[in-house]
Structure formats: structure tokens, C-alpha cells
């Protein structure tokens, strides 16, 4: 693709989408240099996550360590890390991420290999690198690095992706290598997220439909084989289909989660009044924290949290479209990728906790306990803010330049 060729935004390429005008509305940056709404949404979710982690983790922390505030203190340390990461990412130009996207991908690939060699094992899964007092889940970095790599690839190979299968399958080959290393940990959930990010971006870039059909069919066959090959994955699927068949065995976690939602009713039992978090519901402060939200804050609380998460995803899509229509292709595809990632991971986490999807071990963005997830999601949100900041700044400079002529 020629460097000066204009790439169409999402809504220009897919004009038949009925909600096109609703998502495109409000493209008026004014004189503000950053998106205050997006920043407020991210900060509110992180603050809410701290409150819910504190509420959901006290009982388990008391049992495991004798200190009910063990996870609360660690989460506070993670929040300090979030501040440092936000300060660093907001100062980096988006062009820097584009320049070093391939090196970042290779660096994370090396870390994935190191995890298999010297990684820390928890509950039979080797997913963490221990660096002093810090444990890093490299799979979270893989999502971040792959989104950046895909944005750069789509800019460099835009015409090749649209015209032949070679351009389509090159990133799939990279994904396959990443997936192989991550499955050895094992971590099927992260592989699914990477696959969805890749497919979503290739679709938005205008790849051919027949390539999608072939790949999706192959992915479905492989997905079924991966589930059948591991007894614990098969157990998750069977318990998801009918958790009440074995409520004290394979279906225990999901039945306890459903009980939490049922107790929440419309307005919840009140903050801190969850019963299921008292060691009835496993992983109450991590993968199943949304069940505690439902029990304590009810349906109304659930809708409020979902509304904020949806706002972030929609704003990411809006930013992506605005950037592509302003000839900022890398920024546009990166915003799309981050939006797809946050949205899909939210759907999978909540879907698993309400019994609509099998358990995948994915955290709820910005809310669940876990340093790696929180840090990487913070970096992703700050990149969105930086993308929109540079877009607004370029528009203001363009207006100023015309005013001086």
C-alpha cells in the first residue's frame, strides 16, 4: 500500500451497520486535549475494582495468610504500579509503539519461552515470571504486544491483506506460534482472546470473506480437539452445560456463582454483605468477582458497571474510526484492537460467571484482582487516551495553521 493512500474508517467500509450514526456522533474535540469522559470511566472502574477486591478477598485472605488485608495491600501496590505505568505511557508518542512493534512482539515471545523454562507454577499452570517481589503473567503482555503488532502489520500490508491469502495468513502464522507457547502453560483463554483480536482487525481491514470462512472452520476443529485432549477443559464444558448435575463437584464454582447472582436480586444485599465470598465461591476476588458485585449491588449495580465498560469499548471504536478517517491508520487499528480486546474479555468473564460460557480464567478488565492484568489494562487505556490526544492536537494545529494563512 502506498504510504499516502487514505484508509477508510470502520463506518465508511461497513455503511450498512444500523448503529453507524449513533457511534459516529459527537466527533467534535473542541479545545480539550484529552478525553475526560474516557479518563473518568477508567479511573472509576479501577477505584470500584479496589473496593470490590477489598470486599471479596477478606475471608480468603484470612484463611490463607492469617491477614484479612493481604490481598488489599497487594492490590494497593498494584495501583501504585498503575500510576507509574500511566505516567510513562501517556508520555510516549504513538509513533514509538509503531516503530518498536516487532521488537516488542519478539521480546514478549522470549518471555513466553522463559516462562516454560523458569516460570512459577500455581495450581498446575506455569504462567508467571518472578522478578524479585513481582510476579508477571506474560500472557497478559502477549495480548498487549499482539494488538500493537497487528495494528502495524495492517498498515504495512493493507493491500496484500485485501487481495490475496498470503497477506491474510502471515499474522495467523505468528499467532499460531504464540498460541503454541501459551497453550503449553496452559492458557486456552488467552489464545482465544488473541484469535478474536486478530480476526476482528483483519475483518475491519477488509480481508476476503473466503479466507475468514476457511480459518474459522479450522479454528473450530482445533478448539474442539484442544477441549477433548485435556480432561480439565472437558470438565469445564460439561459443568457449564449442566452445573446442577454435579453441584458439589465439577459444577461447584458455577452453581455458587449463580447463587450469588440470585441473592443479589434488584438492589443487592449491600456492599460487604455477600455470603458467597465467605469461601463458598472460589476465586471470588479474581475471575468471579462480578458474581460478588451482583450479590452485593444487585441488578442495578451490574447494569451500572456494564454501562461504564461498554462506554470504554464504544469510545475505543469511535477513536479508531476518527483516526482512520483522519489518515492515522496505525492509531486507528490500534484503538480498534484495544476495544475488541477489552470488550471480548469482559463478555467472556461475565459470560462464564453467569453460565453462558465455559470458564476461561480471564479477569474482568480494570476490576479483578491481579497485578499483570491491571497493569496491562491500564497501559491499554492510557494508549487510547494518548491516541485521542494526538488526534485532537493535530486538529487544533491544523485549525491554527489555517487561521494564520
Amino acid at each position: 500500500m502506498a504510504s499516502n493512500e487514505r484508509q477508510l474508517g470502520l463506518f465508511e467500509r461497513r455503511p450498512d451497520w444500523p448503529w453507524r450514526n449513533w457511534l459516529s456522533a459527537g466527533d467534535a474535540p473542541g479545545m480539550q486535549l484529552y478525553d475526560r469522559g474516557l479518563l473518568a470511566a477508567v479511573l472509576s472502574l479501577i477505584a470500584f475494582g479496589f473496593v470490590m477486591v477489598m470486599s471479596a478477598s477478606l475471608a480468603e485472605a484470612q484463611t490463607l495468610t492469617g491477614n484479612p488485608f493481604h490481598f488489599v495491600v497487594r492490590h494497593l501496590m498494584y495501583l501504585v504500579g498503575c500510576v507509574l505505568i500511566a505516567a510513562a505511557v501517556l508520555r510516549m508518542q504513538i509513533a514509538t509503539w509503531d516503530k518498536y512493534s516487532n521488537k516488542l512482539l519478539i521480546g514478549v515471545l522470549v518471555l513466553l519461552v522463559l516462562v516454560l523454562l523458569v516460570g512459577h507454577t500455581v495450581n498446575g499452570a506455569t504462567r508467571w515470571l518472578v522478578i524479585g517481589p513481582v510476579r508477571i503473567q506474560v500472557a497478559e503482555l502477549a495480548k498487549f504486544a499482539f494488538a500493537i503488532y497487528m495494528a502495524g502489520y495492517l498498515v504495512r500490508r493493507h493491500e496484500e491483506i485485501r487481495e490475496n491469502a498470503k497477506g491474510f495468513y502471515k499474522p495467523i502464522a505468528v499467532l499460531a506460534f504464540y498460541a503454541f507457547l501459551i497453550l503449553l502453560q496452559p492458557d486456552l483463554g488467552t489464545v482465544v482472546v488473541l484469535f478474536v483480536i486478530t480476526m476482528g482487525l483483519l475483518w475491519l481491514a477488509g480481508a476476503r470473506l473466503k479466507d475468514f470462512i476457511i480459518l474459522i472452520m479450522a479454528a473450530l476443529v482445533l478448539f474442539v480437539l484442544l477441549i477433548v485432549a485435556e480432561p480439565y477443559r472437558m470438565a469445564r464444558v460439561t459443568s457449564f452445560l449442566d452445573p446442577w448435575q454435579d453441584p458439589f463437584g465439577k459444577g461447584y464454582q458455577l452453581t455458587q456463582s449463580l447463587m450469588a447472582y440470585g441473592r443479589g436480586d434488584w438492589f443487592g444485599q449491600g456492599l460487604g454483605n455477600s455470603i458467597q465470598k465467605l469461601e463458598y465461591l472460589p476465586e471470588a476476588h479474581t475471575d468471579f468477582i462480578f458474581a460478588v458485585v451482583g450479590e452485593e449491588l444487585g441488578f442495578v449495580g451490574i447494569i451500572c458497571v456494564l454501562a461504564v465498560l461498554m462506554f470504554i469499548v464504544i469510545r475505543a471504536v469511535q477513536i479508531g474510526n476518527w483516526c482512520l478517517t483522519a489518515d492515522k491508520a496505525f492509531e486507528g487499528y490500534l484503538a480498534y484492537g484495544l476495544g475488541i480486546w477489552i470488550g471480548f474479555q469482559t463478555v467472556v468473564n461475565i459470560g462464564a460467571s453467569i453460565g453462558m460460557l465455559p470458564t476461561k480464567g480471564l479477569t474482568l478488565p480494570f476490576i479483578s484482582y491481579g497485578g499483570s492484568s491491571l497493569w496491562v489494562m491500564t497501559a491499554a487505556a492510557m494508549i487510547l487516551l494518548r491516541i485521542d490526544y494526538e488526534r485532537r492536537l493535530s486538529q487544533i494545529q491544523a485549525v491554527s495553521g489555517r487561521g494564520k494563512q
Side-chain angles (χ1 to χ4, degrees):
M1 176 184 129
S3 59
N4 61 349
E5 181 181 347
R6 182 176 181 272
Q7 299 194 38
L8 296 178
L10 166 60
F11 306 115
E12 291 179 83
R13 288 196 305 278
R14 313 290 182 190
D16 54 327
W17 289 7
W19 30 273
R20 173 182 181 272
N21 293 333
W22 174 57
L23 281 178
S24 298
D27 186 11
M31 295 304 293
Q32 296 180 13
L33 285 179
Y34 65 95
D35 192 329
R36 296 179 182 179
L38 178 59
L39 178 61
V42 171
L43 293 179
S44 65
L45 284 179
I46 292 175
F48 177 75
F50 171 71
V51 173
M52 293 311 304
V53 166
M54 181 165 54
S55 174
S57 67
L58 296 180
E60 186 170 353
Q62 176 66 41
T63 301
L64 294 177
T65 68
N67 176 14
F69 297 102
H70 172 76
F71 293 116
V72 175
V73 173
R74 291 181 65 88
H75 200 77
L76 278 172
M77 295 172 59
Y78 297 151
L79 293 180
V80 173
C82 287
V83 174
L84 299 177
I85 290 170
V89 172
L90 285 174
R91 292 179 62 87
M92 292 181 63
Q93 295 182 357
I94 299 301
T96 303
W97 295 106
D98 188 13
K99 180 180 179 181
Y100 293 102
S101 60
N102 289 335
K103 293 181 179 178
L104 179 63
L105 188 75
I106 295 172
V108 174
L109 187 66
V110 172
L111 293 179
L112 287 172
V113 175
L114 287 177
V115 166
L116 300 176
L117 298 177
V118 297
H120 181 69
T121 302
V122 177
N123 296 329
T126 306
R127 301 176 183 175
W128 293 268
L129 282 179
V130 179
I131 304 175
V134 179
R135 288 195 312 179
I136 300 175
Q137 188 172 354
V138 182
E140 296 293 336
L141 294 176
K143 302 171 192 175
F144 181 76
F146 212 83
I148 295 174
Y149 159 75
M150 280 300 301
Y153 179 83
L154 293 181
V155 174
R156 295 189 298 270
R157 305 291 183 180
H158 189 255
E159 288 303 315
E160 187 178 0
I161 291 170
R162 289 187 167 200
E163 294 174 358
N164 60 65
K166 183 180 178 181
F168 182 87
Y169 285 105
K170 281 182 181 178
I172 301 302
V174 178
L175 171 64
F177 193 49
Y178 253 59
F180 174 73
L181 294 176
I182 295 172
L183 286 173
L184 292 177
Q185 297 183 3
D187 187 355
L188 180 59
T190 295
V191 172
V192 174
V193 172
L194 291 177
F195 180 77
V196 170
I197 292 173
T198 304
M199 293 294 288
L201 287 177
L202 287 171
W203 167 258
L204 295 175
R208 299 181 303 177
L209 182 60
K210 66 178 183 180
D211 292 325
F212 278 101
I213 295 174
I214 295 172
L215 182 61
I216 290 174
M217 291 178 63
L220 287 175
V221 172
L222 180 60
F223 185 72
V224 172
L225 291 176
L226 289 172
I227 291 175
V228 174
E230 290 289 348
Y232 81 93
R233 291 179 186 146
M234 180 60 72
R236 286 182 175 181
V237 173
T238 55
S239 64
F240 143 73
L241 294 174
D242 187 7
W244 300 103
Q245 186 177 18
D246 188 11
F248 298 104
K250 297 177 181 178
Y252 178 78
Q253 192 171 32
L254 181 53
T255 55
Q256 296 299 316
S257 177
L258 294 175
M259 289 179 189
Y261 282 113
R263 293 190 73 250
D265 203 21
W266 285 97
F267 299 101
Q269 299 295 317
L271 187 62
N273 292 330
S274 169
I275 298 298
Q276 297 305 115
K277 71 182 181 184
L278 301 178
E279 298 190 78
Y280 294 103
L281 175 62
E283 310 297 339
H285 60 300
T286 55
D287 299 349
F288 280 76
I289 195 169
F290 204 63
V292 179
V293 174
E295 185 178 4
E296 295 189 349
L297 302 180
F299 181 76
V300 173
I302 286 175
I303 293 300
C304 290
V305 175
L306 288 178
V308 179
L309 284 165
M310 183 180 293
F311 170 79
I312 293 174
V313 173
I314 290 175
R315 184 51 56 91
V317 174
Q318 285 181 321
I319 291 172
N321 194 63
W322 294 336
C323 287
L324 285 188
T325 54
D327 296 324
K328 293 179 176 291
F330 176 78
E331 291 88 338
Y333 287 126
L334 180 53
Y336 282 154
L338 297 178
I340 293 170
W341 168 21
I342 296 171
F344 181 73
Q345 187 158 319
T346 298
V347 169
V348 172
N349 176 275
I350 296 174
S353 70
I354 64 178
M356 293 186 65
L357 295 171
T359 303
K360 284 290 184 291
L362 295 175
T363 57
L364 184 61
F366 306 108
I367 296 176
S368 292
Y369 172 83
S372 297
S373 175
L374 188 59
W375 288 342
V376 171
M377 281 294 175
T378 299
M382 295 305 107
I383 285 181
L384 280 176
L385 283 167
R386 178 73 196 197
I387 290 173
D388 193 54
Y389 164 79
E390 292 187 7
R391 180 187 70 87
R392 293 169 184 244
L393 185 62
S394 65
Q395 289 189 358
I396 292 174
Q397 290 173 342
V399 172
S400 300
R402 288 197 298 267
K404 294 178 180 179
Q405 292 177 357

